[in-house]
Amino acid sequence: MPILRGFLAYLAVAVLHVASLAAGWDDIAVVTKFSLMPALMVGVVIARRRPFSWPDYLLLAALTLSWLGDIFVSDAASSRFLVGLGSFFAAHALYLVLFLRVVKSRRVPMLALLLVVWWAGLLFLLRDDLGFFFVPLAVYGAVLAASTAAALATSRLIATGAALFLASDTALAWALFAPSPVWWQSDVVIMTLYIAGQFLIATGCIRARNARGNTASVSE
């Protein structure tokens, strides 16, 4: 696919990051983690074949906020965690607008109601372990569920990406707050889901925008 050429740098950074996590190369893992979203933004700029307009800047803003989230959210024992959580909250709020206002192609299916069950179920299971973070995570979970539901009204690519993002955040919440021991290679699983989710959301939005631009050109 021609659109993938712009994302080769992102894919290279992603592979190196996951490999460094699996191998325990902590310094490389940190550098590559903080390079993921900038590389994805470069891919968006390269792959967008037409002049930018507000939806394209909205996508870049969501990725920028995700980048800030990557920097701050990794340590639940630090006040920096709330900064990261707030950044991801704002990113999903922008995704919600993008999905509903720009790339929506059908109605939100009834299947989206399962996200209410996911939200309530996760909070119930972690209720005794979240402490102070119960309310912030409940609010964040609500906007995450809303953006995932909105993604179900877009393309399969975007919907799959949003589902993977949801799975990544679910696994992260469990790894950070559940009393059970962290499972083997949990960082690899969480980041692989996150990397794939963001990639599919970004490429799905660009494909939808480019296709819409091509349709407009033909009609003219």
Side-chain angles (χ1 to χ4, degrees):
M1 292 171 58
I3 194 173
L4 289 179
R5 294 171 189 165
F7 295 97
L8 292 178
Y10 176 74
L11 296 174
V13 173
V15 169
L16 182 57
H17 178 65
V18 172
S20 65
L21 288 175
W25 302 333
D26 294 342
D27 291 342
I28 297 176
V30 170
V31 172
T32 51
K33 180 179 180 180
F34 297 162
S35 303
L36 283 167
M37 291 304 104
L40 188 56
M41 285 187 277
V42 169
V44 167
V45 172
I46 294 173
R48 181 72 174 118
R49 295 197 295 264
R50 294 182 174 276
F52 269 43
S53 56
W54 71 266
D56 306 304
Y57 292 114
L58 201 66
L59 175 58
L60 290 178
L63 295 176
T64 301
L65 289 163
S66 297
W67 174 62
L68 293 175
D70 289 342
I71 294 173
F72 291 110
V73 84
S74 58
D75 185 8
S78 168
S79 59
R80 289 156 52 97
F81 178 80
L82 287 178
V83 177
L85 194 67
S87 298
F88 276 121
F89 175 91
H92 283 291
L94 294 184
Y95 278 146
L96 181 61
V97 174
L98 191 62
F99 297 160
L100 293 179
R101 292 276 314 270
V102 181
V103 293
K104 182 180 179 182
S105 58
R106 54 183 172 270
R107 290 184 178 181
V108 177
M110 294 296 292
L111 180 67
L113 291 175
L114 290 177
L115 291 164
V116 177
V117 178
W118 164 84
W119 176 77
L122 188 62
L123 289 174
F124 177 78
L125 290 172
L126 296 178
R127 67 192 184 283
D128 296 329
D129 307 298
L130 292 176
F132 167 80
F133 294 109
F134 184 90
V135 172
L137 284 171
V139 174
Y140 173 73
V143 75
L144 174 60
S147 67
T148 306
L152 296 177
T154 65
S155 68
R156 289 184 181 179
L157 209 59
I158 297 171
T160 302
L164 292 175
F165 203 144
L166 180 81
S168 173
D169 275 0
T170 303
L172 178 61
W174 197 264
L176 289 176
F177 296 105
S180 57
V182 175
W183 64 92
W184 182 72
Q185 295 287 20
S186 59
D187 286 347
V188 172
V189 174
I190 291 166
M191 288 306 298
T192 299
L193 291 169
Y194 172 71
I195 288 166
Q198 290 278 38
F199 174 72
L200 292 178
I201 289 171
T203 54
C205 288
I206 291 299
R207 283 187 66 183
R209 296 278 294 144
N210 286 345
R212 188 167 299 179
N214 291 339
T215 301
S217 297
V218 170
S219 65
E220 291 172 1

